[in-house]
Amino acid sequence: GAGVSQSPSNKVTEKGKDVELRCDPISGHTALYWYRQSLGQGLEFLIYFQGNSAPDKSGLPSDRFSAERTGGSVSTLTIQRTQQEDSAVYLCASSLKALNGGAPETQYFGPGTRLLVL
Amino acid sequence: EDQVTQSPEALRLQEGESSSLNCSYTVSGLRGLFWYRQDPGKGPEFLFTLYSAGEEKEKERLKATLTKKESFLHITAPKPEDSATYLCAVRVTGGGNKLTFGTGTQLKVEL
């Protein structure tokens, strides 16, 4: 079956512009995650969705970052007024329903969106 | 603060030369340790999940083990196609569902 898909695969933007990154999870996966991977850094958690709700937004670095999920499927990560330090690979992952306190479900990752802010 | 440290940062092996990658962790409570493989320009590909000390899992030339402080990814008789960055991540008690990643070990296997 199809894996996690992300678009665009690459995005070049100018400082101060807004960008939208899209994630299409594996069919049937109710949990969705956004991570950021900067050069030389490990993957950094941004936000987690269970269905359309985001119970954990603790990783969003500033109020310029927001995300939404509709229909329990596609998610969009929006970065407003982009800065050069936002340049990174943005990775989306999905899993079966993640139960707090239960065995952790495996997260499957998409190919990422490479964002370059000039 | 939960921490995951991987070593070495980079490793170069000859084809057939077995070795191990290390992932040490300091966490409040471990709910799962994950190994992923990442090829250049691609997203991480899931390899293994380990839940408790003493657990071992194998897949082809790879074997993952777990103790109370660290995990090892053993690579037996590696081939050039095993070249990739190997990432370790943990899910911790009270940490919700997020994964905390190490910075990875970049492995290159040469003929």
Side-chain angles (χ1 to χ4, degrees):
Chain A
V4 177
S5 60
Q6 293 188 244
S7 61
S9 53
N10 292 280
K11 176 73 176 177
V12 181
T13 191
E14 294 178 349
K15 178 181 172 181
K17 295 282 180 71
D18 298 352
V19 295
E20 283 190 354
L21 312 180
R22 176 189 168 107
C23 172
D24 211 330
I26 293 171
S27 177
H29 280 193
T30 58
L32 185 147
Y33 312 79
W34 284 99
Y35 292 85
R36 177 169 73 173
Q37 187 173 34
S38 304
L39 200 61
Q41 306 276 333
L43 274 78
E44 172 192 17
F45 169 80
L46 298 177
I47 187 170
Y48 149 64
F49 286 91
Q50 182 61 56
N52 293 333
S53 300
D56 189 350
K57 306 179 183 179
S58 62
L60 294 177
S62 75
D63 59 8
R64 295 187 295 104
F65 288 72
S66 62
E68 65 175 13
R69 190 178 185 197
T70 54
S73 182
V74 172
S75 175
T76 302
L77 177 68
T78 300
I79 308 174
Q80 294 179 310
R81 305 180 302 282
T82 52
Q83 303 294 312
Q84 289 181 330
E85 61 262 28
D86 299 334
S87 296
V89 177
Y90 289 82
L91 290 158
C92 175
S94 70
S95 73
L96 294 170
K97 182 176 175 129
L99 301 173
N100 282 324
E105 294 287 354
T106 298
Q107 296 180 24
Y108 295 91
F109 284 82
T113 292
R114 282 145 195 82
L115 175 66
L116 178 61
V117 182
L118 300 176
Chain B
E1 183 182 339
D2 301 316
Q3 285 194 329
V4 180
T5 304
Q6 291 189 246
S7 63
E9 290 185 8
L11 180 63
R12 181 171 287 186
L13 299 174
Q14 296 296 310
E15 185 176 14
E17 180 186 1
S18 301
S19 188
S20 295
L21 312 183
N22 178 264
C23 171
S24 63
Y25 59 91
T26 305
V27 299
S28 50
L30 183 70
R31 291 177 55 205
L33 185 141
F34 298 78
W35 282 98
Y36 287 86
R37 169 193 170 127
Q38 187 174 28
D39 292 296
K42 297 190 176 181
E45 174 189 344
F46 171 72
L47 293 174
F48 304 109
T49 308
L50 300 165
Y51 294 104
S52 57
E55 189 174 0
E56 299 182 351
K57 288 193 177 173
E58 286 188 69
K59 178 181 178 180
E60 297 180 352
R61 296 178 293 282
L62 300 177
K63 179 180 177 180
T65 62
L66 181 65
T67 73
K68 289 187 178 179
K69 295 183 179 180
E70 58 193 348
S71 177
F72 291 95
L73 185 65
H74 307 277
I75 304 178
T76 301
K79 298 182 177 181
E81 53 262 43
D82 295 323
S83 298
T85 296
Y86 290 85
L87 301 171
C88 170
V90 298
R91 188 175 173 210
V92 303
T93 305
N97 296 306
K98 69 181 181 185
L99 296 179
T100 299
F101 280 84
T103 52
T105 293
Q106 190 172 1
L107 173 66
K108 185 169 176 61
V109 182
E110 301 173 329
L111 290 170

